[in-house]
């Protein structure tokens, strides 16, 4: 049983402060499901009426829909090594399991595959980088139910941020199931007498409620630090704020791509080289995951779903 609205708002006010909580809820209420003119991109195809019906209809007419559905269930595990001389020796080999864009209430096949995969892989920590529900509005209860099952399959602590599909009202229930939300905040991870810092920002793509300065507050200048952001679009701010590593998603890697993995669209304002996989900018390492779930339609082409094992290496 999940929390009632009154209790959620009380918890958010206690966590964020009364003014911040009111502002955050008001921004969400004003712009929820807006199709044009809000956020970093002008058009938000996921909010357009009938967009799902049109895309699905075209795929069915061409006979590609069922192939795309099968592709969307074939989740793979990728490994990404990040080498840094700034990493404490105690954290060399530390492995972070990264999941993003789960869209849990529309991606049952992929989520089932993810739950099976995490039972057989080794990792030290887990992070989620947003977009947990399918729609950008409405009831998020079914999404939370699926996320609760996934959380039960994960053996370590989980830290997470919200995406442009998510409501701030989801945060208290996510924390009750053992997912520590980073709402423009940071936390120290300790190992062998050393520490690194994990920070996270609220949605920077649609609601524009990210605050990197607040997220980085009190992180020592010489400490190794990781930023979780649903969208990689704030890569410049993250690099110049001194973060060593940035992890995100949002783009789905294009989801429906041409042969060779060339995306038709990334729904993001950033260089295409940052739209999927590992990249660097101004000394900061980054990784944009193609995600495990699907948006708008439950189909993928030339862009397999994925979860990532980021292995930190001192070097």
């Amino acid at each position: 049983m999940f929390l009632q609205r009154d209790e959620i708002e009380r918890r958010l006010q206690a966590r964020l402060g009364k003014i911040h909580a009111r502002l955050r809820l008001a921004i969400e209420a004003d712009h929820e499901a807006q199709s044009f003119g809000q956020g970093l991109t002008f058009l938000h195809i996921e909010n357009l009426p009938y967009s799902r019906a049109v895309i699905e209809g075209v795929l069915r007419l061409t006979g590609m829909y069922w192939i795309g559905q099968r592709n969307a269930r074939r989740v793979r595990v990728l490994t990404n090594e990040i080498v840094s001389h700034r990493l404490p020796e105690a954290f060399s080999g530390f492995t972070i399991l990264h999941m993003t864009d789960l869209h849990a209430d529309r991606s049952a096949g992929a989520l089932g595959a993810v739950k099976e995969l995490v039972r057989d892989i080794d990792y030290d920590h887990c992070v989620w980088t947003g977009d947990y529900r399918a729609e950008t509005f409405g009831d998020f209860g079914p999404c939370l139910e699926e996320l609760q099952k996934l959380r039960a399959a994960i053996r370590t602590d989980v830290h997470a941020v919200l995406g442009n599909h998510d409501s701030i009202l989801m945060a208290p229930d996510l924390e009750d199931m053992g997912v520590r939300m980073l709402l423009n905040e940071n936390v120290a991870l300790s190992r062998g007498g050393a520490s690194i810092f994990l920070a996270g920002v609220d949605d920077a793509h649609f609601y524009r409620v990210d605050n990197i300065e607040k997220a980085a507050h009190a992180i020592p200048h010489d400490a190794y630090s990781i930023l979780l952001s649903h969208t990689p679009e704030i890569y410049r701010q993250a690099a110049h704020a001194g973060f060593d590593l940035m992890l995100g998603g949002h783009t789905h890697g294009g989801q429906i791509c041409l042969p060779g993995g060339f995306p038709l669209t990334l729904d993001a304002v950033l260089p295409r080289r940052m739209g999927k996989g590992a990249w660097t900018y101004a000394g900061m390492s980054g990784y944009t995951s193609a995600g495990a779930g699907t948006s708008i339609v439950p189909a993928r082409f030339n862009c397999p779903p994925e979860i990532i094992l980021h292995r930190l290496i001192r070097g």
Side-chain angles (χ1 to χ4, degrees):
M1 187 67 180
F2 298 113
L3 298 171
Q4 298 298 311
R5 174 72 182 237
D6 288 349
E7 176 61 14
I8 291 173
E9 291 191 7
R10 187 192 68 78
R11 295 262 294 266
L12 287 174
Q13 288 183 14
R15 172 74 177 277
L16 304 175
K18 185 176 289 188
I19 300 299
H20 185 174
R22 283 180 177 175
L23 286 172
R24 179 63 175 81
L25 288 167
I27 290 169
E28 188 173 309
D30 283 349
H31 297 293
E32 188 177 65
Q34 187 173 329
S35 299
F36 299 97
Q38 168 67 18
L40 292 176
T41 56
F42 178 74
L43 172 64
H44 304 281
I45 191 171
E46 69 273 21
N47 294 340
L48 284 173
Y50 312 117
S51 62
R52 184 184 312 117
V54 170
I55 297 171
E56 185 174 319
V58 170
L59 291 176
R60 287 181 184 273
L61 284 171
T62 58
M64 298 294 289
Y65 183 71
W66 306 113
I67 296 172
Q69 276 204 322
R70 285 198 300 271
N71 293 342
R73 294 193 293 267
R74 293 171 177 165
V75 184
R76 59 182 183 171
V77 181
L78 300 182
T79 300
N80 176 49
E81 288 194 351
I82 300 122
V83 180
S84 174
H85 69 279
R86 287 171 43 80
L87 185 74
E89 186 62 45
F91 278 88
S92 193
F94 188 80
T95 302
I96 300 171
L97 173 61
H98 176 200
M99 302 180 183
T100 193
D101 297 273
L102 295 166
H103 299 287
D105 44 338
R106 184 177 293 152
S107 305
L111 213 63
V114 169
K115 284 183 281 189
E116 290 298 318
L117 288 169
V118 297
R119 292 191 176 98
D120 299 323
I121 56 179
D122 294 323
Y123 51 94
D124 300 296
H125 202 82
C126 181
V127 298
W128 296 355
T129 52
D131 271 13
Y132 308 116
R133 67 174 173 179
E135 301 289 357
T136 58
F137 56 88
D139 182 18
F140 47 77
C143 167
L144 291 175
E145 290 173 5
E146 294 302 321
L147 292 175
Q148 195 167 45
K149 297 172 191 174
L150 176 61
R151 178 64 184 94
I154 296 172
R155 301 185 299 274
T156 66
D157 290 342
V158 179
H159 284 86
V161 294
L162 296 172
N164 58 291
H165 278 244
D166 305 317
S167 169
I168 187 72
L169 297 170
M170 298 166 64
D173 280 308
L174 283 167
E175 294 213 313
D176 279 355
M177 67 178 74
V179 179
R180 170 71 162 87
M181 303 304 295
L182 295 173
L183 305 172
N184 299 319
E185 299 162 316
N186 67 72
V187 63
L189 305 180
S190 299
R191 191 185 202 198
S195 295
I196 63 174
F197 285 79
L198 184 64
V201 289
D202 202 348
D203 173 52
H205 175 77
F206 185 71
Y207 293 116
R208 303 293 304 276
V209 283
D210 56 304
N211 187 328
I212 285 185
E213 182 179 3
K214 185 178 178 184
H217 179 68
I219 295 178
H221 179 69
D222 60 347
Y224 187 87
S225 58
I226 302 168
L227 179 67
L228 306 181
S229 170
H230 173 61
T231 177
E233 290 166 292
I234 56 170
Y235 64 94
R236 292 186 184 89
Q237 298 95 310
H240 297 313
F243 285 100
D244 298 282
L245 172 64
M246 179 179 179
L247 303 178
H250 176 66
T251 67
H252 289 234
Q255 187 171 316
I256 296 177
C257 296
L258 298 175
F262 186 83
L264 298 176
T265 178
L266 293 171
D267 189 30
V269 182
L270 79 171
R272 283 196 169 246
R273 69 181 181 86
M274 295 179 175
K276 180 172 67 174
W279 47 266
T280 59
Y281 178 80
M284 181 183 73
S285 298
Y287 197 97
T288 306
S289 172
T294 52
S295 182
I296 305 179
V297 292
R300 280 183 177 265
F301 295 96
N302 302 307
C303 184
E306 62 188 33
I307 57 177
I308 315 297
L309 291 171
H310 298 289
R311 186 164 292 119
L312 307 182
I313 305 293
R314 178 176 171 84

